[in-house]
């Protein structure tokens, strides 16, 4: 098992790693819309999900993975009424690549975030 860390994404705000690589799989921790400096991004769901994907891209890059190697995305949202905004951000991030995905509404997320996303990538 290898711990993945990059300064291009926010530090973990608890006792966990940004990502872990086991064999040829990379499992990211959930990313919320914090800047690499640890500040919450300003704006609504659109701005938040864009920051989340910037963070995830940095973590994937640190692990030697690319977006088209993501096999599963799990999305947590505080309001599914914003689902289309997140869907559009996913499409922009992944392009033609379509990983498996689950999206669930939750009561709350850390630091008042509106969206959190975690990914699993295969380094095949």
């Amino acid at each position: 098992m290898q711990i993945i860390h990059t300064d291009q994404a926010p530090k973990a705000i608890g006792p966990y790693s940004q990502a872990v690589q086991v064999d040829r799989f990379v499992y990211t921790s959930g990313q919320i819309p914090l800047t690499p400096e640890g500040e919450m991004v300003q704006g609504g769901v659109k701005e938040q999900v864009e920051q989340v994907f910037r963070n995830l891209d940095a973590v994937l890059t640190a692990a030697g993975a690319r977006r088209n190697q993501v096999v599963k995305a799990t999305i947590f949202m505080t309001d599914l009424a914003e689902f289309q905004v997140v869907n559009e951000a996913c499409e922009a991030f992944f392009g033609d690549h379509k990983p498996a995905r689950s999206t669930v509404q939750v009561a709350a997320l850390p630091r008042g975030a509106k969206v959190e996303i975690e990914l699993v990538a295969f380094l095949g």
Side-chain angles (χ1 to χ4, degrees):
M1 180 170 76
Q2 179 182 350
I3 303 300
I4 307 298
H5 173 77
T6 177
D7 291 333
Q8 301 303 307
K11 293 179 183 176
I13 57 175
Y16 59 89
S17 302
Q18 290 172 326
V20 175
Q21 180 180 341
V22 178
D23 296 323
R24 297 189 308 175
F25 284 93
V26 174
Y27 303 87
T28 75
S29 291
Q31 286 287 321
I32 61 173
L34 296 176
T35 65
E37 297 76 34
E39 299 298 321
M40 182 66 75
V41 78
Q42 297 299 309
V45 170
K46 182 180 186 304
E47 292 79 13
Q48 287 197 11
V49 74
E50 288 171 352
Q51 182 64 50
V52 167
F53 277 129
R54 281 191 292 275
N55 295 343
L56 288 167
D57 201 36
V59 173
L60 288 173
T61 299
R66 295 181 310 277
R67 297 172 187 189
N68 67 350
Q69 292 175 297
V70 173
V71 295
K72 176 72 164 79
T74 305
I75 302 172
F76 305 93
M77 300 177 62
T78 58
D79 185 359
L80 283 178
E82 302 277 7
F83 184 76
Q84 187 56 38
V85 174
V86 173
N87 234 10
E88 290 168 3
C90 286
E91 196 167 35
F93 183 77
F94 289 112
D96 291 334
H97 180 63
K98 308 278 190 254
R101 185 177 89 183
S102 301
T103 305
V104 296
Q105 181 170 317
V106 295
L109 290 168
R111 299 222 182 151
K114 297 172 188 259
V115 63
E116 178 174 353
I117 302 174
E118 62 186 32
L119 303 175
V120 178
F122 181 65
L123 300 176

